[in-house]
Amino acid sequence: MPPRVEGLYAVTPQCDDSERLLELAAAALAGGARVLQYRDKSGDAAHRLWQANLLAALCRSHRALFIVNDDVELARRVGADGVHLGRDDGDIAAARAALGPDAVIGASCYDQLALARQAMAAGASYVAFGAVFPSQTKPHAVAAPLSLFAEAAGLGANAVAIGGIAPDNAAQVIAAGADAVAVIGGLFDAPDAETAARALARLFTAR
């Protein structure tokens, strides 16, 4: 049975400097991130494998879940806890077959509850809705209403919010029913990633 995804879900920024990437990830985990997703859109397979291995070891040391974005084979090779798949990133059932029954498999569902139903039926562990706020990472992303989280709860879904989330607006998303908030810029563009992570993680403790 895959573990639930809850709390602060840190998503790594694009960073070619592996030492810097590791520093940023360590700060987020020290601040309370319970999940870390490695997101790298470069085409350098060897570089991605190197960074993913470093981050996987770091997450194990912090007892945090390690998720790989888009790449089932990379997740398998580094012993990640799971994978996150977008609409065009592969089949959920095939990912489940490749990674096993205990793997965490997330699915982007954008602004559509119907996609969440489909993803859950195919074997997804959690569904992600967003962008819940305007996002600098994906400025053209569709807007996802916060009402989706109550609707997802009605389906029994483990639901993650993403898009434009920062310490000053995350409470709205958590109050709406999100089990986790996935954060990139609001965490890693902050002056101090650990301080930002603590502020975000504290919102879940208060709940």
Side-chain angles (χ1 to χ4, degrees):
M1 184 77 175
R4 283 181 66 83
V5 169
E6 296 177 321
L8 174 56
Y9 183 145
V11 181
T12 63
Q14 189 77 31
C15 184
D16 293 334
D17 183 339
S18 298
E19 184 176 348
R20 177 59 178 157
L21 180 64
L22 209 60
E23 288 175 357
L24 289 170
L29 292 166
R34 298 178 62 179
V35 187
L36 181 78
Q37 181 189 127
Y38 175 52
R39 183 179 185 272
D40 181 282
K41 296 298 184 180
S42 72
D44 188 336
H47 180 70
R48 283 163 49 84
L49 179 61
W50 172 254
Q51 289 192 335
N53 269 313
L54 291 173
L55 293 171
L58 179 67
C59 285
R60 283 192 288 271
S61 72
H62 283 269
R63 298 184 179 179
L65 295 175
F66 179 57
I67 307 295
V68 171
N69 181 269
D70 295 354
D71 193 330
V72 174
E73 179 57 21
L74 179 60
R76 188 194 66 77
R77 290 185 67 182
V78 302
D81 294 292
V83 68
H84 182 91
L85 300 174
R87 197 195 316 255
D88 303 315
D89 295 329
D91 182 72
I92 293 170
R96 172 67 64 207
L99 299 177
D102 296 328
V104 177
I105 299 176
S108 293
C109 298
Y110 310 100
D111 62 341
Q112 298 179 46
L113 194 66
L115 288 178
R117 286 195 189 94
Q118 293 171 19
M120 291 171 66
S125 314
Y126 72 85
V127 295
F129 297 111
V132 293
F133 301 115
S135 167
Q136 291 186 356
T137 303
K138 291 189 175 183
H140 303 297
V142 296
L146 295 183
S147 58
L148 280 169
F149 296 99
E151 295 170 351
L155 301 177
N158 183 184
V160 176
I162 191 167
I165 299 171
D168 62 353
N169 62 20
Q172 299 174 52
V173 189
I174 296 167
D179 297 302
V181 292
V183 187
I184 308 175
L187 182 57
F188 295 112
D189 290 343
D192 185 324
E194 183 174 343
T195 298
R198 287 193 190 284
L200 287 158
R202 195 178 299 121
L203 296 172
F204 286 94
T205 304
R207 183 180 68 170

